[in-house]
């Protein structure tokens, strides 16, 4: 493989000039530019990304930390991140933490600042202290889908109003006439789905509808987790007419539970989720859900990260420590209700 | 961040010695080793992956080319690849080609040999000429799930006997008593699913069962593609009692089509797929399928790629050109039938 200096020698210019031509930077006369391009072609020169990045004190990739790439939401998000990142010439390294903060820390220590010049964090269950340390070492960090726009995390983030998503789900079920409702929360009580649940409960309360404690289950954020929780809820409260799940996967699990109990969705049970993953459209019946702006959030996160990367390191490092500048919070569009076949009006009780 | 030479200076040894200690290589006395480790700790030295790889003439990642990470099979495979790659200290860059050979070529040109020291190819619809060129430039390439163990592709590969998978699917439907069968092929006629389909047809033929042309559909390898194809098949041949799909996604689409037509699976229609993706277990009814050894194939592919990377470049480059050595073909375990709820015996005709 030919090198930058070979190209420079052949064109009779400095390596810096070759670099400027290739990146459309600096002032280079047209004749010189032509000579460089001819030398590039003649030598079949391909820029060596890793070498170039190092020479510029940069790393050529961005890292995307996710809790598990096998969760169907993450590939959709990763795809959007990759598309956005490619426009700035970055490649994406997907890092699975498997919900393990130690695995996450190991990734951060190994690649932040060396292989990756920025880190996107998507629900990867990381220790905030580790993220702050990564920042302090000069590698920008962006949280991708922070749940509470009005309660910023102290790190740059893209926020989605998930509280609003919970409200929209509640309002839809109320409008359809449901009053005996169960809820499945796909995180711990104080975990990442708390805002969605709060929005849901507040909207019910505003309508004078109670959600007793026994009608709420905290479950793993999976189809299987939602399945088991829905079975429990429906066993305990046979008159439940609707289930709200804080995410699409447990909502899909609830549909399966109804199927196995011989209950028709939506005639015997309405089910609503949040997110609008591909599977929501593909299930039978298709899932009513509150869509969050996944692609938009991915693009905003990449764009914010790029902005932080391109800042002079001095201002970047100190941003956190000065009172003048708080970490950036970019708020994505509002969630919106998507009505599909899994919700309807409750059957009237006989007699 | 401290450098290797700072560590070396503090320990009073050469950089090479520090490197040897950190990688457990070469002969280093115990006292020296201790001194180096103390210096590493004192300076909080972290090896700079990209720099180290470059200094050794290596790139620190492997590239995994897939046609779309949003297809639910690929994340499962990517996860297995990542786990295997981490054991040799490699990070994985997932490259989506979106079925576009030009996008694939762009990836190969940009990262093979610079950012990635090896390339895994998973059904990414790449031009073989591009792959051979990548090899010729010194970057090993491994095809991850070649469909025909007995008909090697001229590139190193992990092969799975998909013909056998098709046979097993046919034998299962025949044993359950099905004779009026439809088939959905998730690729072009001569495409990557041809071997599965051949195995299926040959097994039917051996049992004296015909599969008329009008009972076969070539469709996109998606839930939607399978849905549309199954609707067509069931409209045209109302007496069809079973559908074989060459992949799980079109099989799941066939279940949805039956649902929308008011046909019960498996009472009115049996459905069988190939692969055993997570969704196969999670659908209602759960999908009968022929499982292929996904995790094993991923591990074999990484291990073969690592072997090729570690070969001296001389032998690596010429392997393809000499008669003495053909590209390696590693054959993974045989596919096996997994019977779940989507297949049963056909209902008897009345009268």
């Amino acid at each position: 493989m030919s090198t930058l200096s070979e190209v420079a020698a052949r064109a009779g210019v400095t390596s810096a000039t070759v670099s400027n031509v290739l990146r459309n930077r600096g002032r280079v006369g047209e004749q010189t530019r032509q000579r460089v391009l001819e030398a590039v072609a003649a030598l079949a020169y391909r820029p060596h990304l890793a070498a170039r990045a190092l020479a510029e004190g940069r790393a050529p990739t961005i890292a995307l930390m996710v809790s598990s790439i096998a969760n169907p939401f993450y590939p959709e998000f990763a795809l959007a991140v990759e598309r956005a990142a490619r426009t700035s010439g970055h490649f994406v390294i997907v890092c699975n933490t498997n919900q393990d903060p130690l695995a996450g820390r190991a990734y951060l220590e190994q690649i932040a600042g060396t292989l990756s010049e920025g880190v996107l964090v998507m629900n990867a269950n990381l220790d905030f202290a580790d993220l702050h340390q990564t920042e302090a070492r000069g590698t920008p960090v962006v949280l991708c889908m922070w749940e509470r726009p009005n309660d910023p995390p102290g790190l740059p983030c893209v926020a989605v109003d998930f509280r609003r998503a919970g409200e929209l789900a509640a309002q839809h079920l109320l409008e359809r006439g449901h009053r005996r409702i169960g809820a499945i929360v796909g995180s711990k009580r104080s975990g990442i789905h708390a805002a969605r649940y709060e929005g849901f409960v507040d909207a019910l309360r505003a309508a004078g509808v109670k959600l007793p404690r026994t009608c709420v289950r905290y479950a793993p954020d999976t189809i299987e987790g939602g399945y088991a929780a829905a079975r429990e809820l429906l066993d305990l409260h046979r008159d439940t007419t609707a289930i709200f799940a804080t995410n699409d996967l447990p909502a899909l699990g609830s549909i399966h539970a109804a199927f196995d109990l011989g209950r028709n969705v939506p005639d015997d049970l309405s089910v609503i989720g949040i997110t609008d993953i591909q599977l929501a459209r593909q299930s039978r019946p298709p899932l009513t859900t509150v869509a969050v702006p996944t692609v938009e959030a991915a693009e905003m996160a990449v764009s914010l990260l790029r902005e932080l990367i391109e800042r002079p390191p001095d201002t970047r490092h100190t941003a956190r420590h000065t009172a003048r500048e708080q970490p950036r919070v970019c708020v994505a569009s509002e969630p919106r209700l998507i009505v599909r076949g899994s919700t309807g009006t409750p059957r009237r009780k006989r007699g």
Side-chain angles (χ1 to χ4, degrees), chain A residues 208-231:
Chain A
V209 174
K210 280 187 189 167
L211 189 65
R213 264 196 188 198
T214 57
C215 294
V216 183
R217 286 286 175 284
Y218 293 85
D221 183 19
T222 58
I223 291 185
E224 292 79 2
Y227 178 87
R231 289 291 298 246

Side-chain angles (χ1 to χ4, degrees), chain A residues 252 255-256 278-288 340 342:
Chain A
L252 293 169
I255 292 181
H256 294 169
Q278 268 186 23
L279 282 179
R281 276 150 273 171
Q282 293 167 339
S283 84
R284 282 300 176 277
L287 182 70
T288 296
R340 298 204 182 94
S342 70

Side-chain angles (χ1 to χ4, degrees), chain A residues 125-276:
Chain A
N125 199 18
L126 294 170
D127 199 321
F128 268 48
D130 290 333
L131 296 175
H132 282 302
Q133 211 170 6
T134 302
E135 260 196 331
R137 286 199 305 252
T139 307
V141 172
V142 168
L143 304 186
C144 289
M145 272 198 163
W146 183 248
E147 297 251 327
R148 298 175 188 270
N150 299 321
D151 185 11
L155 283 163
C157 70
V158 174
V160 173
D161 190 352
F162 277 98
R163 210 181 166 293
R164 177 79 186 128
E167 277 174 15
L168 289 171
Q171 284 160 8
H172 175 63
L173 294 181
L174 290 168
E175 274 165 21
R176 293 289 157 111
H178 295 278
R179 296 297 178 267
R180 294 183 304 283
I181 299 172
I184 300 173
V185 184
S187 72
K188 288 180 191 154
R189 199 173 292 264
S190 60
I192 54 169
H193 290 187
R196 313 172 184 202
Y197 177 62
E198 276 170 31
F200 184 78
V201 172
D202 287 352
L204 289 191
R205 195 175 293 135
V209 174
K210 280 187 189 167
L211 189 65
R213 264 196 188 198
T214 57
C215 294
V216 183
R217 286 286 175 284
Y218 293 85
D221 183 19
T222 58
I223 291 185
E224 292 79 2
Y227 178 87
R231 289 291 298 246
E232 278 178 38
L233 283 176
L234 296 171
D235 274 352
L236 197 61
H237 302 283
R238 288 172 194 255
D239 57 354
T240 302
T241 64
I243 288 183
F244 160 68
T246 54
N247 230 0
D248 286 346
L249 289 177
L252 293 169
S254 303
I255 292 181
H256 294 169
F259 179 97
D260 287 358
L261 290 167
R263 295 180 71 159
N264 184 284
V265 175
D267 289 345
D268 304 320
L269 184 76
S270 286
V271 177
I272 186 168
I274 289 180
T275 306
D276 197 23

Side-chain angles (χ1 to χ4, degrees), chain A residues 5-351:
Chain A
S5 15
E6 285 165 10
V7 174
R10 189 180 173 110
V13 298
T14 63
S15 296
T17 302
V18 177
S19 184
N20 282 342
V21 168
L22 291 177
R23 325 194 95 201
N24 264 324
R25 276 204 313 217
R27 298 173 53 124
V28 182
E30 185 51 30
Q31 267 193 323
T32 310
R33 208 178 73 85
Q34 279 307 328
R35 229 165 45 233
V36 168
L37 292 178
E38 279 161 24
V40 164
L43 296 170
Y45 170 73
R46 294 186 307 141
H48 191 300
L49 288 188
R52 183 159 93 185
L54 277 175
E56 295 175 353
R58 301 173 64 154
T61 74
I62 61 180
L64 172 62
M65 318 277 294
V66 300
S67 56
S68 166
I69 193 69
N71 174 322
F73 170 72
Y74 295 124
E76 293 180 36
F77 188 79
L79 193 61
V81 165
E82 193 205 27
R83 288 203 179 128
R86 296 296 302 120
T87 67
S88 60
H90 283 104
F91 293 92
V92 176
I93 298 193
V94 177
C95 306
N96 293 290
T97 65
N98 287 315
Q99 308 268 15
D100 176 0
L102 290 180
R105 181 182 302 168
Y107 265 120
L108 288 173
E109 285 183 354
Q110 285 182 66
I111 71 179
T114 59
L115 192 55
S116 300
E117 65 176 342
V119 177
L120 296 177
V121 179
M122 181 66 222
N123 287 358
N125 199 18
L126 294 170
D127 199 321
F128 268 48
D130 290 333
L131 296 175
H132 282 302
Q133 211 170 6
T134 302
E135 260 196 331
R137 286 199 305 252
T139 307
V141 172
V142 168
L143 304 186
C144 289
M145 272 198 163
W146 183 248
E147 297 251 327
R148 298 175 188 270
N150 299 321
D151 185 11
L155 283 163
C157 70
V158 174
V160 173
D161 190 352
F162 277 98
R163 210 181 166 293
R164 177 79 186 128
E167 277 174 15
L168 289 171
Q171 284 160 8
H172 175 63
L173 294 181
L174 290 168
E175 274 165 21
R176 293 289 157 111
H178 295 278
R179 296 297 178 267
R180 294 183 304 283
I181 299 172
I184 300 173
V185 184
S187 72
K188 288 180 191 154
R189 199 173 292 264
S190 60
I192 54 169
H193 290 187
R196 313 172 184 202
Y197 177 62
E198 276 170 31
F200 184 78
V201 172
D202 287 352
L204 289 191
R205 195 175 293 135
V209 174
K210 280 187 189 167
L211 189 65
R213 264 196 188 198
T214 57
C215 294
V216 183
R217 286 286 175 284
Y218 293 85
D221 183 19
T222 58
I223 291 185
E224 292 79 2
Y227 178 87
R231 289 291 298 246
E232 278 178 38
L233 283 176
L234 296 171
D235 274 352
L236 197 61
H237 302 283
R238 288 172 194 255
D239 57 354
T240 302
T241 64
I243 288 183
F244 160 68
T246 54
N247 230 0
D248 286 346
L249 289 177
L252 293 169
S254 303
I255 292 181
H256 294 169
F259 179 97
D260 287 358
L261 290 167
R263 295 180 71 159
N264 184 284
V265 175
D267 289 345
D268 304 320
L269 184 76
S270 286
V271 177
I272 186 168
I274 289 180
T275 306
D276 197 23
I277 59 175
Q278 268 186 23
L279 282 179
R281 276 150 273 171
Q282 293 167 339
S283 84
R284 282 300 176 277
L287 182 70
T288 296
T289 188
V290 181
V292 296
T294 305
V295 172
E296 183 196 350
E299 287 168 355
M300 289 173 86
V302 170
S303 156
L304 175 55
L305 186 64
R306 199 186 306 169
E307 204 179 289
L308 296 172
I309 287 169
E310 281 161 12
R311 270 194 199 180
D314 288 352
T315 62
R316 194 201 290 167
H317 292 190
T318 54
R320 193 163 64 81
H321 305 292
T322 63
R324 278 174 296 141
E325 194 181 2
Q326 289 298 314
R328 286 276 300 283
V329 177
C330 303
V331 182
S333 311
E334 283 235 328
R336 61 201 176 85
L337 177 71
I338 313 264
V339 180
R340 298 204 182 94
S342 70
T343 49
T345 51
R347 277 194 191 174
R348 292 205 182 176
K349 265 194 179 166
R350 286 182 196 169

